[in-house]
Amino acid sequence: MPLPDLPSDVSTEVAAQVAAEGGRPVHFAGDRAGASAACREPLRRCELTLADESATEAFAARLAEALSPGQVVWLCGTLGAGKTTLVRGLLRALGHAGPVRSPTFTLLEPYELARFAVYHFDLYRFASAHEWHDAGFDDYFGKTGVCLVEWPEQAADAVPPPDVRIALAFSGEPGASSQRSVMIDACTQAGLRCVNTIVDGC
């Protein structure tokens, strides 16, 4: 099942789900223009099918092996699509043995690991790019760690652009199957090297 191009289709689904839940404000296409432009023409795009949670974690382990310090990965998809599962698998592959908490309320969960630090951001609750600047998160980027950003579109164009953008989507009706579709975009030369490593032959 092909994934929708981002962010338009994804943001429409998110908006509908959040509205049904009475959640926080959602920014639509005009507000997300900067986020979408960050990887509008990827250097490489691959689509894969992940049969179950174990397959998602195996993919995450390949991603962990291919990442390098300083890289930024955007994780996109609707609620429950598997973003946090992917992060958990990545952290396990890097040697983290403790709990993996979703940073929905804390916004950031840092992990100091042997190869490099991992900074896991979740911007689901953001209502504007101003919140990103107020939080001082820019200080974590462009250094020796890897930054994983869920819901980057919620901070519009304030989030540093990705090296790799990964979009997860349900295959079939949400909740009816654990199968996921994943689209991987290489957005920079560093991201291209990473994508070539994890999905060579895609």
Side-chain angles (χ1 to χ4, degrees), residues 54 63 98-99 106 135 150 153 196 199:
S54 294
L63 175 62
T106 59
E150 295 190 41
E153 63 270 27
N196 286 344
V199 290

Side-chain angles (χ1 to χ4, degrees), residues 88 91-92 96-102 109-111 120:
R88 182 171 59 246
L91 290 169
R92 292 281 185 262
H96 177 69
V100 177
R101 302 179 181 86
S102 175
E109 288 289 341
Y111 300 89
H120 180 199

Side-chain angles (χ1 to χ4, degrees), residues 18-60:
V18 170
E21 296 176 352
R24 49 92 183 102
V26 174
H27 292 271
F28 296 94
D31 304 291
R32 297 168 189 244
S36 64
C39 198
R40 187 174 295 281
E41 296 183 3
L43 301 177
R44 183 179 183 186
R45 170 172 288 178
C46 289
E47 296 185 40
L48 304 171
T49 298
L50 304 175
D52 51 28
E53 185 171 312
S54 294
T56 300
E57 292 182 348
F59 169 75

